[in-house]
Amino acid sequence: MKKNVALITGVTGQDGSYLSEFLLSKGYEVHGLIRRSSVDFRERIAHLEGTPHFHLHYADMNDSMSLVKLVGLVQPTEIYNLAAQSHVQVSFDAPEFTADVDAVGVLRILEAVRTNHLEGTCRIYQASTSELYGKVEEVPQNEQTPFHPYSPYAVAKLYGYWIIKEYREAYNMFCCSGILFNHESERRGETFVTRKITLAAARIAQGKQEKLYLGNLSSLRDWGYAKDYVECMWLILQNEKPEDFVIATGVQHSVREFCYLAFKHAGIELEFQGEGENEKGIDKKTGKVLVEVSPDFYRPTDVVNLWGDPSKAKRELGWNPAKTSFEELVAIMVKHDMEKVAAEHVASVMRTNLAEYLEKGVVK
Ligand code: NAP
Ligand code: G4F
C-alpha cells in the first residue's frame, strides 16, 4: 500500500505542531516547511525533531521556486497549507507582506502541485478563517453566510478561499478550505488575546506583573481547542468529495468573560466596572485595578461577533465540536501558564544564585 505523505506549511505554528503529532500517530510520513530566521522558533516541534518519519525543509511561502522544488522532492499525497501571517492587527501594519503570504502563497502552492503534475494525486487543505465573515451579516455563521472581510488579513484570506475553489472547479483538484473559528491552546502565540490573558493572569497571581492592558473587551468569539481542530483538517481531506467546512464549537463568549474565568483559575476574582475605555477589572479581594483598557489594542476595523455553526462538519465528517468546552480550554491554558511562570521564577533564582557563587568563588 502507498504510504501517506503529508507536507505541512506553517509546521512551527500552533496548528502545525498539533497536526504533525496527529498525522505521525496515524502513520504518515510528515514533511514540514520551515523558513530561515535569525532566532530559532522551533519550540513547538522540538520534541518531534529527530524522530523517524518527521522531516524539515527550508523554503518560504514568498518564494515560488522553493515551493516547486519542495513539492517535487516530497511528492506529497496531502498538503496542509497552514503558513500565514496570522495576526489580524499586524496585517494593518504589514498589509503587503500579509497579502503575499496569505493570498499569493496559496496560489504558489497550487501551482507547485500542478507544475509537478500531482494535481490528480495530491489533496490540499487550505487554512481558511472565520475572519472572512468579518462585519458579520448573520449569526451564527455557516457555509452559506455571505463574507464581508474586515481587515487586510481577511481580504488576503478571501483570495485564498476563492483560488482554492477556482482550482477545484477549473482543474478538478481535490482542494478544500476549512473555515476555522478561533482555536487556542497552551501553544497559542503570546500576542493573541487568550494567551495574552492567561500568561498575564499567571504572572499577576505570582507577583511578576502589575497590570494587563487589553483592547475591545466586548468582542465576541467562538473559541475552541486547537488540538481538537487539527483532526478536522484531516477529516476534510479524507472526505469523499472536496468541500469546504465551517469548524467551530457553536458557543460564543466575550473577551471579558475569558478574562474573568482565566483570572478565577489563577485564584483572583475580578469585578468589571465602567464602560469603554474607562472599564477596569478590579481584584474583588484587594480592590486593586488589574485590567485596564488601552486604545493601543483597538483595530481600525474590528470583527466583534463571531459565532460558528458546525452542523455540516458534525453531520458529514462525524466531528465532535463539544470535545473540549470553553471552561476546560481556559483551565488547560491557565494551568500551563501558572506552571510556566513558576518554572521561569525557579530558573531565574538559580541563575542569580549561580552568578553570586561564581562572584564569591564558591563555585568555579
Ligand atoms: P501561527 O501559530 O501564527 O503559525 C503560522 C505559521 O506560518 C508559522 O509556522 C510561521 O512560521 C508560518 N509562516 C509565516 N510566514 C511564512 C512564510 N513567509 N513562509 C513560510 N512559513 C511562514 O498560526 P496558527 O494559529 O497555527 O494558524 C494556522 C493557520 O490557520 C494560519 O494560516 C491561520 O491564518 C489560520 N487560522 C488560524 C486560526 C486560529 O484561531 N488559530 C483560525 C482560523 C484560521 P514562523 O514560525 O517561522 O513564523
Ligand atoms: O486573539 P485575537 O488577536 O484573534 P483574532 O483577531 O480573532 O484572529 C485570530 O482568529 C482568527 C479566526 O477568527 C484567525 F483567522 C487569525 O489568524 C487569528 O488566529 O483577537 C480576538 C479579539 C479581537 O476582536 C480583538 O480586538 O480580541 C480583541 N482584543 C481585545 N484586546 C484583543 C486585545 N486582541 C489582541 N490580540 N490583543 C488584545 O490586547
Side-chain angles (χ1 to χ4, degrees):
M1 206 177 75
K2 201 164 179 273
K3 199 167 170 54
N4 289 316
V5 180
L7 172 62
I8 304 177
T9 73
V11 72
T12 54
Q14 170 188 256
D15 293 3
S17 65
Y18 284 124
L19 182 65
S20 298
E21 289 166 2
F22 178 82
L23 293 177
L24 287 168
S25 77
K26 291 240 167 255
Y28 277 63
E29 194 76 29
V30 175
H31 295 262
L33 183 164
I34 52 169
R35 58 176 172 161
R36 151 85 186 139
S37 61
S38 63
V39 277
D40 192 5
F41 276 122
R42 292 196 228 160
E43 197 185 327
R44 296 181 179 113
I45 50 166
H47 60 295
L48 299 177
E49 285 190 59
T51 60
H53 313 300
F54 185 69
H55 318 275
L56 296 175
H57 310 266
Y58 281 104
D60 201 295
M61 293 305 290
N62 306 103
D63 179 346
S64 314
M65 193 66 84
S66 71
L67 297 176
V68 171
K69 278 200 289 184
L70 182 55
V71 170
L73 176 79
V74 169
Q75 298 280 309
T77 55
E78 294 173 11
I79 295 181
Y80 294 86
N81 185 37
L82 310 184
Q85 189 303 92
S86 73
H87 204 285
V88 174
Q89 188 156 14
V90 171
S91 79
F92 289 96
D93 296 326
E96 188 181 337
F97 173 74
T98 304
D100 199 16
V101 179
D102 299 12
V104 186
V106 186
L107 177 68
R108 291 188 186 111
I109 287 287
L110 290 164
E111 280 298 308
V113 169
R114 291 187 67 227
T115 306
N116 284 288
H117 310 293
L118 296 175
E119 61 268 51
T121 53
C122 178
R123 298 184 167 199
I124 304 167
Y125 171 86
Q126 165 59 16
S128 195
T129 167
S130 50
E131 289 291 310
L132 299 188
Y133 300 116
K135 192 174 180 190
V136 298
E137 300 192 5
E138 67 183 29
V139 280
Q141 295 98 32
N142 62 32
E143 291 80 2
Q144 272 71 52
T145 303
F147 297 136
H148 189 146
Y150 216 33
S151 65
Y153 166 81
V155 174
K157 283 282 186 178
L158 187 64
Y159 176 88
Y161 173 87
W162 278 109
I163 202 70
I164 285 282
K165 205 168 157 55
E166 176 58 21
Y167 274 49
R168 185 159 73 211
E169 288 172 22
Y171 305 116
N172 207 19
M173 287 170 73
F174 196 109
C175 40
C176 317
S177 290
I179 306 172
L180 270 59
F181 282 63
N182 297 53
H183 44 281
E184 318 294 312
S185 73
E186 58 275 37
R187 295 186 194 169
R188 184 58 144 155
E190 296 180 8
T191 58
F192 294 97
V193 77
T194 55
R195 190 75 199 288
K196 183 173 164 182
I197 293 170
T198 58
L199 267 172
R203 288 187 183 127
I204 291 172
Q206 295 180 46
K208 301 281 170 202
Q209 185 174 327
E210 282 293 309
K211 221 176 253 185
L212 166 65
Y213 292 94
L214 291 171
N216 185 359
L217 294 172
S218 301
S219 191
L220 296 162
R221 286 291 182 276
D222 179 328
W223 280 296
Y225 189 28
K227 223 178 188 171
D228 302 340
Y229 282 39
V230 297
E231 183 195 4
C232 228
M233 300 176 183
W234 176 75
L235 285 171
I236 289 173
L237 289 196
Q238 311 317 306
N239 200 28
E240 240 172 74
K241 291 177 289 174
E243 283 181 22
D244 305 324
F245 287 87
V246 160
I247 308 299
T249 67
V251 183
Q252 193 187 46
H253 293 276
S254 67
V255 170
R256 186 182 298 102
E257 284 173 86
F258 191 103
C259 201
Y260 175 82
L261 199 56
F263 274 78
K264 194 158 178 228
H265 279 296
I268 299 168
E269 181 149 23
L270 288 178
E271 186 169 61
F272 284 91
Q273 289 178 9
E275 270 178 41
E277 272 180 47
N278 298 317
E279 185 165 355
K280 294 184 195 330
I282 297 165
D283 183 343
K284 256 184 155 174
K285 206 155 117 195
T286 63
K288 256 178 98 172
V289 176
L290 301 183
V291 181
E292 278 199 55
V293 172
S294 162
D296 284 353
F297 300 107
Y298 286 168
R299 296 171 183 185
T301 47
D302 197 12
V303 173
V304 294
N305 195 4
L306 291 180
W307 180 12
D309 171 5
S311 306
K312 184 182 174 193
K314 208 171 151 184
R315 195 177 55 243
E316 293 181 23
L317 302 175
W319 182 67
N320 173 15
K323 200 166 167 191
T324 309
S325 69
F326 173 73
E327 289 71 20
E328 284 165 332
L329 170 67
V330 180
I332 291 169
M333 291 178 71
V334 175
K335 181 174 182 296
H336 175 274
D337 285 339
M338 287 294 276
E339 288 167 5
K340 178 182 158 75
V341 172
E344 279 167 3
H345 176 71
V346 171
S348 118
V349 170
M350 281 168 71
R351 269 197 307 275
T352 314
N353 287 348
L354 183 62
E356 231 172 75
Y357 294 150
L358 285 170
E359 203 180 297
K360 290 180 184 157
V362 180
V363 286
K364 296 206 165 47

